[in-house]
Amino acid sequence: MSGYMGNRWTPEAAHRWFERQPWLVGCNFTPSNAINQLEMWQAGSFDLATIDRELELAASVGMNSVRVYLHDLLWLDDAAAFLDRIDAFLTVADRHGIRVMLVLFDSCWHPEPALGPQPPPREGVHNSGWVQSPGVAVLRNPAEHARLEDYVRGVVGRFGQDERVLAWDIWNEPDNGPEVALCDPAALRAKADLVVPLLVAAFGWAREMQPMQPLTSGIWLGDWSAPDLLSPIQQAQTSHSDVISFHNYGIAEDFAQRVKWLKTMGRPLLCTEYMARPAGSTFQAILPIAKEEQVGTFCWGLVKGKTQTHLPWDKWENPNLEGLKEKWFHDIFDADGTPHDESEVAFLRLINRLDEVTA
């Protein structure tokens, strides 16, 4: 496993890149007929017609970018065909004026991914079929890591000079998983010992391919007000990222505070997950701050579908927001293109149109 990191972008280079972009407004995209990354991308269920129709919805509210998850098992199954499907996706996105952030690894939800037909959604359960990449067994087995290196090098090598790709998210929430839910410090330390070497190596594999796009991995937990408060995983994420990314599902004041903390790192900021209506993280609350502070934003979800992310997180409760009980948690449109909230869609079109006028 190579430890060579190449050259992380300087803050000046990162800001030069960021200044060439429009204000980035987008979503985390999974088509409505896919329960997870595998169903989205596998040959038997890859559906460009649905992707095209739903990316048109994203463009209709002024979105110019999407964040999309890949999976290492797709590379193992048929690397060449997988790359061709990514290329086809990028072509459709480009036709709608949308650039794509590609996510290589993910520690969220089910730890034992498997190729083939994916399970149906579990009734009433938010994101019931999402899978980790790599699975826990692979994460723990160094003998499997060579194929992970091939995957990273292969995908970044193919698309690292492609203008349709906006950025590379090396690893989504690498410190997520059962250990977080249990709040077990010993388990968290064990996870860091397992993940950090592979996370750092994955940054290195990607960087060795010399992509024109920046690399990042978003932090999401805890207090970021001082460098020594970051966990070992967060220190690895931020110290190897060209642009700093983060997740925030808090109210406007919390979002603004976290932006203030992260700006001390001296690099451009991307909020790669936000928007949970009952939590107070709404477009109307967050986007004006993000626009003023020049933070790129990617909400969670676009079209209500098999991920069921319109449903609340498990055991989610917020008794202070009684009026939002009937609101979807995430997602913007129903499968037929009907907005969940017409005023929300009008707001998105307004804030993005104003940005175009004043740019």
Side-chain angles (χ1 to χ4, degrees):
M1 184 184 297
S2 170
Y4 173 67
M5 283 306 303
N7 295 315
R8 182 195 189 198
W9 289 9
T10 64
E12 294 76 17
H15 281 291
R16 284 196 298 272
W17 171 84
F18 194 70
E19 288 163 3
R20 293 196 298 269
Q21 313 309 317
W23 178 41
L24 297 170
V25 181
C27 65
N28 285 264
F29 179 76
T30 305
S32 61
N33 58 355
I35 195 170
N36 59 24
Q37 319 93 305
L38 295 175
E39 191 164 43
M40 174 178 177
W41 290 107
Q42 286 184 127
S45 47
F46 183 64
D47 184 350
L48 266 183
T50 297
I51 288 167
D52 186 18
R53 182 173 64 252
E54 295 183 358
L55 288 180
E56 184 176 11
L57 289 173
S60 76
V61 293
M63 290 184 176
N64 54 28
S65 47
V66 292
R67 181 173 179 251
V68 177
Y69 288 74
L70 307 179
H71 201 287
D72 63 280
L73 288 180
L74 298 159
W75 175 267
L76 184 64
D77 181 49
D78 188 336
F82 179 38
L83 292 174
D84 287 346
R85 289 193 289 275
I86 297 172
D87 186 74
F89 179 92
L90 293 173
T91 296
V92 170
D94 185 61
R95 190 159 66 238
H96 294 293
I98 290 173
R99 296 174 71 204
V100 182
M101 173 185 284
L102 293 171
V103 185
L104 296 171
F105 295 116
D106 181 12
S107 286
C108 289
W109 298 92
H110 296 295
E112 298 177 354
L115 293 166
Q118 299 301 296
R122 290 172 55 201
E123 185 177 357
V125 179
H126 176 112
N127 224 1
S128 65
W130 202 258
V131 291
Q132 297 183 22
S133 172
V136 169
V138 173
L139 191 63
R140 291 174 174 163
N141 184 1
E144 295 266 21
H145 294 180
R147 74 166 177 83
L148 300 180
E149 179 173 356
D150 289 344
Y151 159 60
V152 173
R153 291 183 182 278
V155 175
V156 179
R158 170 72 175 265
F159 299 108
Q161 302 300 317
D162 195 321
E163 291 279 0
R164 300 171 298 177
V165 174
L166 174 71
W168 298 95
D169 193 330
I170 300 299
W171 204 310
N172 179 66
E173 297 189 359
D175 46 0
N176 209 332
E179 303 88 348
V180 174
L182 293 171
C183 297
D184 182 341
L188 285 168
R189 285 193 296 273
K191 186 175 181 77
D193 290 344
L194 193 64
V195 168
V196 168
L198 191 56
L199 170 68
V200 171
F203 267 102
W205 302 331
R207 206 175 299 283
E208 284 177 350
M209 304 314 294
Q210 300 182 355
M212 63 186 289
Q213 309 94 346
L215 312 182
T216 193
S217 177
I219 63 175
W220 65 291
L221 285 171
D223 184 340
W224 313 329
S225 60
D228 61 352
L229 296 177
L230 299 183
S231 70
I233 290 179
Q234 291 174 333
Q235 290 172 9
Q237 289 175 279
T238 55
S239 67
H240 292 92
S241 289
D242 299 315
V243 298
I244 301 299
S245 59
F246 68 102
H247 299 170
N248 180 255
Y249 290 105
I251 61 175
E253 291 79 4
D254 185 55
F255 180 86
Q257 178 64 74
R258 290 177 181 276
V259 168
K260 182 178 179 181
W261 287 342
L262 294 178
K263 281 200 168 185
T264 64
M265 295 186 182
R267 292 175 178 270
L269 301 183
L270 302 175
C271 179
T272 49
E273 290 186 25
Y274 79 103
M275 210 284 284
R277 295 178 184 92
S281 178
T282 64
F283 293 119
Q284 292 91 332
I286 300 304
L287 284 181
I289 300 170
K291 186 175 183 181
E292 175 68 23
E293 297 292 341
Q294 283 299 294
V295 177
T297 57
F298 297 77
C299 69
W300 189 272
L302 179 68
V303 178
K304 174 185 173 185
K306 291 176 76 172
T307 61
Q308 299 185 153
T309 55
H310 68 291
L311 299 174
W313 293 324
D314 187 38
K315 298 180 182 176
W316 179 267
E317 293 180 5
N318 195 329
N320 297 319
L321 293 169
E322 291 292 328
L324 292 178
K325 279 190 172 180
E326 300 306 314
K327 293 283 188 182
W328 289 356
F329 202 75
H330 302 308
D331 300 324
I332 303 170
F333 296 97
D334 218 325
D336 64 0
T338 302
H340 172 60
D341 183 336
E342 289 280 5
S343 65
E344 193 176 70
V345 165
F347 172 80
L348 285 169
R349 290 173 175 155
L350 177 66
I351 196 168
N352 289 319
R353 184 168 65 247
L354 286 175
D355 183 67
E356 294 169 3
V357 169
T358 60

